[in-house]
Amino acid sequence: IDVPRINLERSKENERICKDQIKKRKKRQKDYQPNYFLSIPITNKEGFFGTWDHVYIWELEEERESEVVLLHRVIIRGIKTLQNAIIQQDKRLAKAMTSDGSLHVTLLVMQLLNEDEVNIGIDALLELKPFVEEILQGKHLTLPFQGIDTFGNQVGFVKLAEGDHVNPLLEIAEAAKRTFQGKGIMAGESRGFKPHLTFMKLSKVPWLRKKGVKKIDPEFYEKFISHKFGEEMMHRIDLCSMLKKKQSNGYYHCESSIVVGECHLKVIVFSIDFLRTI
């Protein structure tokens, strides 16, 4: 047996396979067009009962009762107020607004080309859960939103406020990217992760360019430039489709979800009016 010749042929075959894989990877990177994403949905519509509410919390492990008072945060109502203020200044921008049912923070974008890849994405999401729980250490992650900014005056968004919540969120985003890419999924984007809530996109109304509307005028939102829109407690991460038909509530088609930030608490909410009757 000519071992050197066999090894040489095997080496050449491996080199050819490697080159083919590189070509395929480069082609896929060139054709990369995200069509799925990980979403943190905004569900805080009206707080608890619309005013101050008393929340009694029984800590199951310690069996002791404590009372906290929460001020409701009305993120969605605040964003609708912002959108209406802009529309009043230019009614043509009404169709550029994001519907309140689809408000979310994008954690990661990706490309899933078929049902098999969607199933791989679902598996990756399930694998992400313990990493998220490890980062949160049994605590809830509260995301406060304040102020307005744009991407190139084309996309208007509410900013995530600065604070101790930023680093855990960045760690979760990085863990998500690592987990999905580890499954062979094309995921991520060239610009860095910048958590935000999109409230309008000029790309939704391309005909406006012919009408002379080529950018979002900063004067439209100047009164909200430092506005506090409220807080959202992250409790779920969804794998959503950008292209499939949205749900009846306006939220994206969801392939799978994980619940995060769970802790050993049982929460019962009473309105002030109800407490007065006790």
Side-chain angles (χ1 to χ4, degrees):
I1 299 173
D2 190 348
V3 175
R5 185 177 63 80
I6 292 174
N7 287 340
L8 179 62
E9 289 178 355
R10 185 177 296 165
S11 176
K12 287 182 178 179
E13 177 65 13
N14 288 339
E15 186 178 345
R16 185 188 65 78
I17 293 172
C18 184
K19 285 181 179 180
D20 286 345
Q21 288 176 338
I22 291 172
K23 283 182 181 179
K24 288 179 181 178
R25 192 180 302 123
K26 284 184 176 180
K27 183 180 187 306
R28 190 168 179 188
Q29 287 174 344
K30 185 180 179 182
D31 297 338
Y32 178 52
Q33 184 65 46
N35 60 341
Y36 276 82
F37 65 101
L38 292 184
S39 164
I40 300 173
I42 300 300
T43 58
N44 183 1
K45 290 190 176 182
E46 296 294 339
F48 289 109
F49 286 87
T51 59
W52 290 79
D53 290 309
H54 290 252
V55 181
Y56 288 89
I57 300 179
W58 280 265
E59 299 185 24
L60 301 183
E61 292 181 329
E62 299 180 16
E63 293 186 353
R64 65 185 179 83
E65 180 183 327
S66 60
E67 179 185 355
V68 296
V69 182
L70 298 181
L71 174 63
H72 82 219
R73 302 293 189 180
V74 198
I75 296 175
I76 293 178
R77 191 167 68 188
I79 289 179
K80 286 187 72 69
T81 300
L82 163 66
Q83 291 173 327
N84 289 335
I86 293 173
I87 292 169
Q88 285 178 4
Q89 296 173 78
D90 191 336
K91 290 182 173 55
R92 297 174 299 177
L93 294 174
K95 292 188 182 297
M97 299 302 166
T98 303
S99 65
D100 52 43
S102 62
L103 287 171
H104 68 280
V105 174
T106 298
L107 200 59
L108 180 72
V109 297
M110 69 196 72
Q111 180 175 266
L112 303 175
L113 295 176
N114 50 52
E115 203 61 34
D116 287 339
E117 291 192 0
V118 170
N119 288 331
I120 294 172
I122 292 172
D123 289 342
L125 179 60
L126 295 176
E127 288 184 17
L128 176 63
K129 182 178 171 69
F131 294 113
V132 176
E133 298 295 357
E134 184 180 349
I135 293 168
L136 295 180
Q137 294 289 305
K139 299 177 182 178
H140 284 293
L141 183 62
T142 300
L143 305 176
F145 294 92
Q146 179 179 3
I148 304 294
D149 203 350
T150 70
F151 291 125
N153 291 315
Q154 299 299 303
V155 177
F157 62 87
V158 174
K159 298 189 292 184
L160 181 70
E162 295 295 325
D164 294 339
H165 54 277
V166 174
N167 281 341
L169 186 61
L170 293 177
E171 287 182 38
I172 291 170
E174 188 57 38
K177 185 177 180 180
R178 189 168 58 248
T179 301
F180 277 76
Q181 289 183 344
K183 288 279 195 179
I185 294 172
M186 292 283 290
E189 51 189 334
S190 56
R191 71 184 182 201
F193 176 58
K194 188 172 185 177
H196 61 278
L197 292 178
T198 298
F199 65 84
M200 70 178 294
K201 286 183 178 181
L202 290 185
S203 61
K204 290 164 67 76
V205 280
W207 54 267
L208 278 180
R209 291 190 69 84
K210 296 178 181 179
K211 301 287 185 179
V213 182
K214 297 181 179 179
K215 66 177 185 177
I216 302 171
D217 190 336
E219 291 185 3
F220 287 167
Y221 56 80
E222 62 180 353
K223 292 181 180 178
F224 296 84
I225 204 72
S226 300
H227 182 76
K228 292 182 179 180
F229 287 86
E231 300 173 348
E232 175 72 23
M233 187 180 292
M234 187 181 79
H235 69 284
R236 202 176 81 219
I237 298 175
D238 301 325
L239 175 61
C240 296
S241 169
M242 297 179 185
L243 305 177
K244 290 184 179 180
K245 184 179 179 180
K246 289 184 178 181
Q247 301 177 40
S248 58
N249 62 0
Y251 190 60
Y252 297 87
H253 173 86
C254 183
E255 300 287 353
S256 185
S257 303
I258 57 172
V259 176
V260 297
E262 297 172 295
C263 57
H264 301 290
L265 296 177
K266 178 182 178 182
V267 181
I268 302 177
V269 183
F270 301 94
S271 71
I272 290 176
D273 289 339
F274 175 76
L275 289 172
R276 288 183 182 134
T277 67
I278 298 176

